[in-house]
Amino acid sequence: IFDWVLLYIKEGAARITIEEESFDAGAGSIFLFKPGKRHSISLLGCSKLHQPHIHFDLIAQEDSEQVKVNFQPKEALSEQEIAMIRDDITAPGRELEMPDRLTVSNLLEFERLLFDVINTYTDRDPFYQIETKSKFLSLWAYLMREERIVQHAGLTVVAREYQEVKRYLDENYCHAVTLEEL
Protein backbone atom coordinates (compact mmCIF):
# COMPACT_ATOMS: atom_id res chain seq x y z
CA ILE A 1 0.00 0.00 0.00
CA PHE A 2 1.05 3.61 -0.47
CA ASP A 3 0.06 4.87 2.97
CA TRP A 4 -1.80 3.38 5.98
CA VAL A 5 -4.92 1.31 6.63
CA LEU A 6 -6.41 0.76 10.07
CA LEU A 7 -8.41 -2.48 9.98
CA TYR A 8 -10.78 -3.66 12.69
CA ILE A 9 -12.32 -7.11 12.74
CA LYS A 10 -15.75 -6.52 14.22
CA GLU A 11 -17.17 -9.92 13.34
CA GLY A 12 -15.81 -13.19 12.00
CA ALA A 13 -12.29 -14.57 11.75
CA ALA A 14 -9.45 -14.05 9.31
CA ARG A 15 -5.81 -14.79 8.80
CA ILE A 16 -3.97 -11.51 8.45
CA THR A 17 -0.55 -11.68 6.85
CA ILE A 18 1.78 -8.70 6.95
CA GLU A 19 5.02 -9.30 5.07
CA GLU A 20 6.07 -12.75 6.37
CA GLU A 21 4.12 -12.75 9.67
CA SER A 22 0.63 -14.26 9.94
CA PHE A 23 -1.97 -13.69 12.63
CA ASP A 24 -5.18 -15.65 13.19
CA ALA A 25 -7.54 -12.88 14.18
CA GLY A 26 -11.09 -12.77 15.46
CA ALA A 27 -13.58 -10.17 16.58
CA GLY A 28 -11.86 -7.32 18.39
CA SER A 29 -8.56 -7.56 16.49
CA ILE A 30 -7.00 -4.35 15.21
CA PHE A 31 -4.27 -4.08 12.57
CA LEU A 32 -2.24 -1.24 11.10
CA PHE A 33 -1.14 -1.87 7.52
CA LYS A 34 1.85 0.35 6.79
CA PRO A 35 3.31 1.95 3.66
CA GLY A 36 5.16 -0.40 1.36
CA LYS A 37 4.36 -3.50 3.41
CA ARG A 38 2.65 -6.36 1.60
CA HIS A 39 -0.43 -7.68 3.39
CA SER A 40 -3.32 -10.04 2.79
CA ILE A 41 -6.59 -11.01 4.45
CA SER A 42 -7.97 -14.57 4.18
CA LEU A 43 -11.30 -15.64 5.61
CA LEU A 44 -11.12 -18.37 8.26
CA GLY A 45 -14.09 -20.71 8.34
CA CYS A 46 -17.46 -20.00 6.80
CA SER A 47 -18.51 -17.10 8.99
CA LYS A 48 -19.28 -13.61 7.77
CA LEU A 49 -16.34 -11.20 8.03
CA HIS A 50 -17.19 -7.62 9.00
CA GLN A 51 -14.00 -5.57 8.78
CA PRO A 52 -14.55 -1.83 8.99
CA HIS A 53 -11.37 0.00 8.07
CA ILE A 54 -10.04 3.40 7.20
CA HIS A 55 -7.42 4.29 4.61
CA PHE A 56 -5.39 7.38 5.51
CA ASP A 57 -2.29 9.41 4.84
CA LEU A 58 -0.84 10.07 8.29
CA ILE A 59 0.90 13.27 7.21
CA ALA A 60 -1.02 15.30 4.62
CA GLN A 61 1.05 15.98 1.52
CA GLU A 62 0.36 17.77 -1.76
CA ASP A 63 -0.52 14.53 -3.53
CA SER A 64 -2.52 12.97 -0.65
CA GLU A 65 -5.78 13.26 -2.57
CA GLN A 66 -4.27 11.35 -5.52
CA VAL A 67 -3.00 8.44 -3.42
CA LYS A 68 -5.42 5.57 -3.95
CA VAL A 69 -5.69 2.03 -2.68
CA ASN A 70 -3.22 -0.26 -4.42
CA PHE A 71 -3.57 -4.01 -4.91
CA GLN A 72 -0.41 -4.58 -6.96
CA PRO A 73 2.85 -6.03 -5.66
CA LYS A 74 5.71 -3.56 -5.39
CA GLU A 75 7.46 -5.19 -8.35
CA ALA A 76 4.54 -4.26 -10.64
CA LEU A 77 4.49 -0.56 -9.71
CA SER A 78 5.74 2.22 -11.96
CA GLU A 79 8.42 4.63 -10.73
CA GLN A 80 5.71 7.25 -10.24
CA GLU A 81 3.68 4.84 -8.09
CA ILE A 82 6.75 3.81 -6.07
CA ALA A 83 7.34 7.50 -5.33
CA MET A 84 3.86 7.60 -3.76
CA ILE A 85 4.82 5.12 -1.02
CA ARG A 86 5.01 7.15 2.15
CA ASP A 87 7.91 7.21 4.56
CA ASP A 88 6.77 4.95 7.39
CA ILE A 89 6.98 7.19 10.43
CA THR A 90 5.32 4.40 12.46
CA ALA A 91 8.19 1.93 11.86
CA PRO A 92 10.19 0.56 14.82
CA GLY A 93 12.52 3.17 16.27
CA ARG A 94 10.61 6.10 14.76
CA GLU A 95 8.90 8.86 16.74
CA LEU A 96 5.36 7.58 16.10
CA GLU A 97 6.28 3.88 16.34
CA MET A 98 3.26 1.61 16.22
CA PRO A 99 3.09 -2.18 15.86
CA ASP A 100 1.28 -4.00 13.06
CA ARG A 101 -1.20 -5.51 15.52
CA LEU A 102 -2.73 -3.17 18.07
CA THR A 103 -4.41 -3.85 21.38
CA VAL A 104 -6.65 -1.50 23.33
CA SER A 105 -7.95 -1.66 26.88
CA ASN A 106 -11.41 -0.38 25.97
CA LEU A 107 -12.75 -1.89 22.75
CA LEU A 108 -16.03 0.04 23.00
CA GLU A 109 -14.15 3.35 23.12
CA PHE A 110 -12.04 2.31 20.14
CA GLU A 111 -15.18 1.35 18.20
CA ARG A 112 -16.86 4.64 19.06
CA LEU A 113 -13.85 6.62 17.83
CA LEU A 114 -13.44 4.52 14.67
CA PHE A 115 -17.11 4.71 13.70
CA ASP A 116 -17.13 8.46 14.43
CA VAL A 117 -14.45 8.84 11.76
CA ILE A 118 -16.21 6.53 9.29
CA ASN A 119 -19.68 8.04 9.82
CA THR A 120 -18.47 11.63 9.59
CA TYR A 121 -16.69 10.87 6.33
CA THR A 122 -19.68 8.93 4.96
CA ASP A 123 -22.34 11.49 5.95
CA ARG A 124 -20.43 14.32 4.25
CA ASP A 125 -22.11 17.15 6.11
CA PRO A 126 -20.73 20.64 5.43
CA PHE A 127 -17.07 20.85 6.48
CA TYR A 128 -16.91 17.07 6.86
CA GLN A 129 -13.25 17.04 5.77
CA ILE A 130 -12.17 19.13 8.77
CA GLU A 131 -14.40 17.20 11.16
CA THR A 132 -13.17 13.85 9.82
CA LYS A 133 -9.54 14.91 10.32
CA SER A 134 -10.33 16.08 13.84
CA LYS A 135 -12.02 12.81 14.74
CA PHE A 136 -9.21 10.81 13.14
CA LEU A 137 -6.65 12.68 15.26
CA SER A 138 -8.65 11.79 18.38
CA LEU A 139 -8.62 8.14 17.30
CA TRP A 140 -4.89 8.24 16.53
CA ALA A 141 -4.09 9.88 19.90
CA TYR A 142 -6.13 7.20 21.65
CA LEU A 143 -4.23 4.42 19.84
CA MET A 144 -0.87 6.01 20.62
CA ARG A 145 -1.75 6.33 24.32
CA GLU A 146 -2.91 2.72 24.40
CA GLU A 147 0.32 1.57 22.75
CA ARG A 148 2.44 3.52 25.24
CA ILE A 149 0.54 1.85 28.09
CA VAL A 150 1.39 -1.57 26.60
CA GLN A 151 5.05 -0.59 26.14
CA HIS A 152 5.39 0.92 29.62
CA ALA A 153 3.01 -1.11 31.78
CA GLY A 154 4.82 -0.12 35.00
CA LEU A 155 4.32 3.56 34.32
CA THR A 156 0.55 3.11 34.33
CA VAL A 157 0.56 2.39 38.06
CA VAL A 158 2.76 5.42 38.75
CA ALA A 159 0.57 7.64 36.57
CA ARG A 160 -2.56 6.45 38.37
CA GLU A 161 -0.93 7.18 41.77
CA TYR A 162 0.13 10.61 40.54
CA GLN A 163 -3.47 11.35 39.50
CA GLU A 164 -4.69 10.26 42.96
CA VAL A 165 -2.20 12.60 44.68
CA LYS A 166 -3.17 15.47 42.37
CA ARG A 167 -6.89 14.86 43.02
CA TYR A 168 -6.27 14.81 46.79
CA LEU A 169 -4.32 18.09 46.63
CA ASP A 170 -7.02 19.70 44.49
CA GLU A 171 -9.71 18.66 46.98
CA ASN A 172 -7.71 19.70 50.06
CA TYR A 173 -6.17 22.98 49.01
CA CYS A 174 -7.64 24.76 52.05
CA HIS A 175 -5.12 23.29 54.50
CA ALA A 176 -1.45 22.42 54.49
CA VAL A 177 -1.24 18.82 53.32
CA THR A 178 1.50 16.79 55.00
CA LEU A 179 3.64 14.18 53.35
CA GLU A 180 2.11 11.58 55.67
CA GLU A 181 -1.37 12.42 54.35
CA LEU A 182 -0.21 11.89 50.81
Side-chain angles (χ1 to χ4, degrees):
I1 60 175
F2 297 124
D3 47 14
W4 289 264
V5 173
L6 182 65
L7 175 117
Y8 172 54
I9 298 181
K10 175 132 176 85
E11 181 182 347
R15 175 162 294 128
I16 307 295
T17 303
I18 303 172
E19 295 291 322
E20 306 302 320
E21 190 171 6
S22 291
F23 307 90
D24 286 346
S29 298
I30 306 166
F31 292 90
L32 181 63
F33 300 147
K34 299 177 180 187
K37 281 188 155 184
R38 185 180 301 220
H39 68 275
S40 66
I41 304 167
S42 304
L43 186 63
L44 291 178
C46 298
S47 65
K48 173 182 166 187
L49 182 63
H50 182 202
Q51 52 163 4
H53 60 281
I54 55 176
H55 174 91
F56 61 96
D57 201 349
L58 197 52
I59 305 290
Q61 299 179 30
E62 283 184 32
D63 66 344
S64 289
E65 291 297 319
Q66 286 75 47
V67 175
K68 303 298 179 206
V69 176
N70 172 44
F71 296 104
Q72 299 177 47
K74 206 173 195 176
E75 305 78 47
L77 298 178
S78 69
E79 286 183 32
Q80 183 181 9
E81 290 170 322
I82 289 173
M84 289 178 151
I85 299 173
R86 301 310 195 215
D87 178 32
D88 184 10
I89 58 176
T90 62
R94 301 291 299 267
E95 183 180 355
L96 298 177
E97 179 179 339
M98 294 289 274
D100 295 333
R101 186 172 194 169
L102 303 169
T103 57
V104 295
S105 60
N106 186 339
L107 203 53
L108 290 176
E109 178 64 5
F110 168 77
E111 275 191 29
R112 184 190 67 75
L113 291 165
L114 176 65
F115 285 108
D116 270 355
V117 172
I118 292 170
N119 293 334
T120 301
Y121 180 80
T122 304
D123 292 347
R124 296 186 179 250
D125 289 334
F127 307 105
Y128 78 93
Q129 298 98 328
I130 294 169
E131 190 176 5
T132 301
K133 288 175 186 178
S134 171
K135 289 183 177 190
F136 171 78
L137 289 174
S138 293
L139 171 61
W140 188 254
Y142 174 77
L143 290 171
M144 291 196 68
R145 275 192 303 274
E146 289 290 305
E147 182 54 30
R148 293 315 175 263
I149 288 169
V150 169
Q151 288 178 357
H152 307 287
L155 295 179
T156 316
V157 173
V158 173
R160 200 171 311 123
E161 289 173 348
Y162 170 77
Q163 289 299 322
E164 291 285 322
V165 168
K166 184 179 179 318
R167 182 189 53 74
Y168 186 84
L169 290 172
D170 288 344
E171 292 173 357
N172 296 282
Y173 65 91
C174 295
H175 73 279
V177 177
T178 68
L179 190 55
E180 282 181 20
E181 283 180 83
L182 292 179

